[in-house]
Amino acid sequence: MANFESHNHRGGRDRYAHNDRNDRHSYRDRNRDNHGTSRGYNDRRRQERENPGVTVEVGQRFPLTIKRMGINGEGIGYYKRMAVFVPGALTDEEAVVEVTSVATRYLRAKVHRIRKASPHRVEPRDSYADAVGGFELEHLDYPEQLKFKRDIVAQSLERYQPQGFRHYDLRPTLGMDDPYGYRNKAQFQVRRNAEGKVEAGLYAERSHDLVDLATCSVQMPVTMTVMRAVVAMLQDLDMPIYDEEAKSGIVKTLVVRAAANTDDVQLVFITNSQKLPHKRELLERIASELPQVTSVMQNVNPGETSLVWGDETKPLAGADAITEKLDGLAFKLSARAFLQLNPSQMTVLYAEAKKALDLQPGETVVDAYSGIGTIGLSLADVAEEVRGMDVIPEAVADANANAAANGITNAHYEVGTAEDLLPKWIMAGFRPDAIVVDPPRTGLDATLIETILAVRPEKFVYISCNPSTLAKDLVELTHDYQVDYIQSVDMMPQTARCEAVVKLRRRQ
């Protein structure tokens, strides 16, 4: 299983190409293990040595029964005792599969034909659901999606086996009444196709072949309305679109973010240079045709890079940020600031975090990986003091501005990592009663884990967006902390992603 995960390109908080933490893998990093390339040939030779009598070729077909689903939403079956990973296949289905790549200890395959379908299989709303990432479970009915997400937490715990894991209280996943139209942000790559037409969408799985998305059922409708209108403008104005092969052109990526509880919409052009030809005409059309757009920004990210965002962001029209309102608080969102993609479930997630933390008057709390302060500021009405940190300066500026705008005087945020700032604060005499962490998919830094175990705050809540790194981190954390329960929350329906709130209690 470790080999499978290492080849599966997943990073940051959002597989669906939003990449808020700048973690998109480059074209050169994609897997090249099919159709006779050197990696595939070498893996087959190793397979012959390590699995005598088992020789499989790309393109070979055979019947397969799916025994379970893996943590990335793929079906898993076994061919001559070798694991076979099949995207789009469901537990207990019988299918004829076609091998797409051969590795030393496992195979990848695609469904050629389903012989016996699962009773939980449904027709995806999006025709491209099997072509791009972010729709791994759209063919699975929603109640079963929720069960699956609880199960992947259990799978991760079984793999890493933190102390007492077999007795953890794994609570049923909290889902949505309507698991569509929830994404508040669309981040689409922009390219010209062979006919010269401007397209915007997501890369096909395991490639840099762009799939143009005219519609998207999981996006808030306004984000797609703005996205498609801007694509038409780029076409009409004959804007210079970035070409990966030639490493030329200007417009690389379009980002549209909508505030669910205000009328604000922000549009960001991510460009290859400071220049933006036809800027005046473009901004005039946006103002005329898209009055819902209240902020237009440009982010400069020059050259060939695996990162989506560059370091420089500048305003083009309207405000330099938009405002979202959550649970009675107003939050300013600059272009690069992280915010959960599902606003309605975000309130569920944070309510669960507050409940698990059970903060009492007079207690101090550290909000690690704070973003724009959404979690910490929601605790400020109870806490004596809230301190938080983030590595993105704009997010920290937003967090402090959000505290001031909401009249909160007992919360303060600094730029830096939790593993650097927390020891510094401790040395200065600040000892938190509670800590809440909401790390990226890579999990907690090892130094931060050491610091937490040294400080041993009585109350500790871990908000995870990756069950695998959560389980791995719990191996160390459970030396000093006991897991009271894990509450999974479905922040991203139709995907294999699962968030979880973990209530930890310090051992006496």
Side-chain angles (χ1 to χ4, degrees):
M1 192 66 182
N3 284 339
F4 171 68
E5 288 185 353
S6 69
H7 289 306
N8 201 30
H9 295 289
R10 293 175 184 271
R13 291 178 178 263
D14 188 6
R15 174 62 182 85
Y16 178 60
H18 288 277
N19 308 298
D20 289 287
R21 300 270 175 167
N22 276 339
D23 56 2
R24 177 170 58 85
H25 290 268
S26 71
Y27 177 67
R28 294 172 303 186
D29 291 336
R30 72 185 186 185
N31 196 344
R32 299 188 305 115
D33 60 0
N34 55 4
H35 298 293
T37 59
S38 60
R39 178 180 294 181
Y41 174 78
N42 291 333
D43 278 338
R44 284 196 298 275
R45 293 295 299 273
R46 284 195 297 272
Q47 181 201 87
E48 290 167 5
R49 292 195 302 270
E50 297 185 22
N51 299 277
V54 181
T55 302
V56 183
E57 297 288 336
V58 169
Q60 182 174 335
R61 294 175 182 171
F62 49 78
L64 190 72
T65 298
I66 304 303
K67 299 297 186 182
R68 62 186 177 88
M69 291 174 67
I71 61 173
N72 298 311
E74 70 288 271
I76 302 176
Y78 294 89
Y79 177 73
K80 296 184 179 179
R81 303 180 69 179
M82 287 188 69
V84 186
F85 298 97
V86 189
L90 301 175
T91 302
D92 295 331
E93 288 192 327
E94 297 174 5
V96 175
V97 302
E98 180 178 320
V99 176
T100 57
S101 67
V102 178
T104 308
R105 296 182 179 86
Y106 64 90
L107 308 172
R108 294 185 190 277
K110 63 182 179 181
V111 173
H112 172 67
R113 176 168 55 90
I114 294 177
R115 288 176 164 179
K116 176 188 172 185
S118 166
H120 302 294
R121 177 175 285 277
V122 296
E123 187 69 24
R125 292 192 186 183
D126 298 287
S127 60
Y128 47 79
D130 60 348
V132 300
F135 302 86
E136 301 90 342
L137 300 183
E138 202 176 7
H139 58 295
L140 179 64
D141 69 46
Y142 193 56
E144 287 300 307
Q145 288 188 33
L146 298 180
K147 292 178 183 177
F148 164 79
K149 296 192 177 191
R150 180 182 180 276
D151 184 58
I152 61 174
V153 175
Q155 284 189 46
S156 298
L157 294 171
E158 181 69 38
R159 179 182 175 192
Y160 288 100
Q161 302 193 355
Q163 187 172 330
F165 76 98
R166 287 191 174 88
H167 305 291
Y168 291 176
D169 177 10
L170 303 184
R171 300 185 173 180
T173 306
L174 300 176
M176 301 182 70
D177 292 335
D178 180 9
Y180 289 95
Y182 62 86
R183 286 179 179 266
N184 58 11
K185 184 178 180 183
Q187 182 167 293
F188 289 173
Q189 308 305 315
V190 184
R191 300 292 182 265
R192 285 191 188 273
N193 64 18
E195 291 74 41
K197 180 183 177 183
V198 177
E199 297 181 331
L202 306 177
Y203 292 127
E205 285 277 22
R206 306 169 66 78
S207 81
H208 262 215
D209 300 327
L210 192 73
V211 178
D212 188 43
L213 300 189
T215 62
C216 185
S217 69
V218 296
Q219 286 288 155
M220 285 184 178
V222 68
T223 65
M224 293 304 295
T225 297
V226 171
M227 180 69 68
R228 300 319 304 182
V230 173
V231 168
M233 295 174 196
L234 297 179
Q235 182 79 46
D236 293 346
L237 295 171
D238 195 24
M239 296 283 284
I241 306 302
Y242 185 68
D243 185 319
E244 282 187 307
E245 297 296 326
K247 299 179 179 59
S248 63
I250 303 292
V251 181
K252 287 183 169 182
T253 308
L254 293 177
V255 184
V256 180
R257 175 150 63 181
N261 299 300
T262 69
D263 294 327
D264 288 352
V265 177
Q266 184 177 69
L267 168 65
V268 183
F269 295 91
I270 299 181
T271 61
N272 187 41
S273 75
Q274 296 276 355
K275 298 178 181 179
L276 188 61
H278 307 295
K279 179 168 67 175
R280 181 178 59 80
E281 300 99 310
L282 181 62
L283 294 177
E284 285 176 353
R285 285 194 59 174
I286 291 170
S288 171
E289 299 173 31
L290 297 170
Q292 62 269 57
V293 174
T294 57
S295 170
V296 184
M297 308 290 288
Q298 179 183 0
N299 176 268
V300 183
N301 187 21
E304 184 182 13
T305 172
S306 61
L307 305 180
V308 174
W309 292 86
D311 293 331
E312 180 186 0
T313 305
K314 56 185 181 180
L316 296 180
D320 62 358
I322 61 175
T323 299
E324 179 64 288
K325 292 183 178 179
L326 300 165
D327 285 343
L329 298 175
F331 293 95
K332 176 184 176 184
L333 297 170
S334 58
R336 290 187 60 196
F338 172 77
L339 184 71
Q340 295 280 356
L341 292 169
N342 187 334
S344 64
Q345 286 293 89
M346 179 168 54
T347 59
V348 173
L349 183 75
Y350 291 168
E352 289 298 320
K354 290 175 68 175
K355 181 171 69 175
L357 201 60
D358 190 27
L359 205 63
Q360 299 300 308
E363 293 181 329
T364 58
V365 61
V366 167
D367 175 14
Y369 308 94
S370 60
I372 61 170
T374 45
I375 299 175
L377 296 181
S378 70
L379 300 169
D381 61 335
V382 177
E384 179 176 319
E385 183 180 3
V386 176
R387 294 194 187 190
M389 69 284 284
D390 201 286
V391 295
I392 299 177
E394 298 96 322
V396 172
D398 285 350
N400 285 315
N402 289 333
N406 287 284
I408 296 171
T409 59
N410 61 333
H412 173 70
Y413 294 87
E414 294 185 25
V415 178
T417 64
E419 50 270 21
D420 288 338
L421 287 175
L422 188 53
K424 173 183 156 186
W425 293 342
I426 299 299
M427 290 292 291
F430 174 80
R431 297 191 69 86
D433 299 300
I435 185 168
V436 55
V437 298
D438 185 10
R441 288 184 60 78
T442 49
L444 297 178
D445 182 271
T447 306
L448 177 56
I449 291 178
E450 292 175 8
T451 304
I452 291 171
L453 295 180
V455 177
R456 299 184 78 237
E458 181 179 347
K459 298 179 178 182
F460 182 14
V461 167
Y462 188 140
I463 301 174
S464 169
C465 60
N466 185 343
S468 288
T469 53
L470 167 64
K472 184 170 180 276
D473 289 344
L474 287 177
V475 172
E476 295 298 321
L477 293 172
T478 50
H479 291 313
D480 281 23
Y481 284 88
Q482 176 177 314
V483 173
D484 279 2
Y485 64 80
I486 300 179
Q487 175 64 69
S488 48
V489 179
D490 187 18
M491 298 293 292
M492 299 180 68
Q494 319 311 326
T495 80
R497 287 294 182 86
C498 178
E499 302 256 346
V501 174
V502 186
K503 179 178 175 61
L504 297 120
R505 181 160 39 92
R506 188 176 65 190
R507 297 182 188 276
Q508 299 304 317

